[in-house]
Amino acid sequence: KLELTGFPSTAVLTTNTTQLTIDVATLMLGRGDPENLAKARRRARLTFPSVAGFVAGCVAGGFLEIHFGLKALALPVVLAIIAVPLGELLPGGQAMR
């Protein structure tokens, strides 16, 4: 969370889910000053994609496990093997560090 100030953490999804729930509840109730509501709206807009991506990944993993068993573990391994060289192809010839 310290790395990208103002953006949701990519390390602990529990924190993102909790914060999203708090922000959505705040927006639904509409209580508070306009500045706090604007902050809650921004946080919810930034956090929702990471929570939705996690849920989609869980659904995809479950679907693949049901249909392919342990062979489904090959997909994330192959994606990781592809991601490493692609990261090295970023401008400058090195992955961002």
Side-chain angles (χ1 to χ4, degrees):
K1 195 159 186 153
L2 298 175
E3 195 69 30
L4 298 170
T5 305
F7 291 94
S9 169
T10 57
V12 183
L13 194 67
T14 305
T15 304
N16 291 342
T17 305
T18 303
Q19 188 63 56
L20 180 62
T21 303
I22 291 168
D23 290 337
V24 168
T26 300
L27 292 170
M28 287 177 69
L29 292 174
R31 295 186 192 152
D33 59 58
E35 183 179 332
N36 285 340
L37 291 174
K39 286 180 183 179
R41 189 174 297 110
R42 180 181 186 278
R43 277 193 311 263
R45 189 176 65 246
L46 292 173
T47 305
F48 179 76
S50 61
V51 174
F54 176 76
V55 170
C58 289
V59 169
F63 175 79
L64 291 170
E65 173 63 25
I66 287 170
H67 290 286
F68 299 107
L70 284 177
K71 293 177 190 172
L73 294 175
L75 179 63
V77 171
V78 169
L79 292 176
I81 290 170
I82 292 170
V84 171
L86 286 177
E88 295 298 324
L89 295 175
L90 289 174
Q94 295 181 358
M96 295 177 2
R97 301 182 202 285

